Amino acid sequence: VYNAAPAWGVTVGDALGVPDPVLTQHQHQHQGQTFSFLGIRVSSPLSLVVNGKRPPGSALAPPRLALSNPSMPP
């Protein structure tokens, strides 16, 4: 689950409700092989319903700031 906190997740057997999903077909080629799979995205893990309940606010990963300067050598 994208943007989920490392300590939060769903397990096998959980009932999962996915409101407003976005279904995407992924196709990737690597070393002569083609990999194709479907992905389901939601805006936030907080929009899911797990076993009839919404996840707690702590299920959302905290924001991280990543900076880069392409003109500076590493």
Side-chain angles (χ1 to χ4, degrees), residues 3-57:
N3 297 322
W8 181 85
V10 295
T11 59
V12 174
D14 283 346
L16 185 63
V18 183
D20 302 321
V22 176
L23 184 65
T24 306
Q25 173 74 41
H26 297 271
Q27 289 188 346
H28 302 278
Q29 291 187 351
H30 179 68
Q31 296 181 348
Q33 292 185 311
T34 299
F35 300 91
S36 179
F37 58 93
L38 293 174
I40 298 174
R41 301 238 9 193
V42 294
S43 59
S44 165
L46 300 181
S47 67
L48 298 173
V49 177
V50 182
N51 297 325
K53 299 178 186 173
R54 296 274 185 190

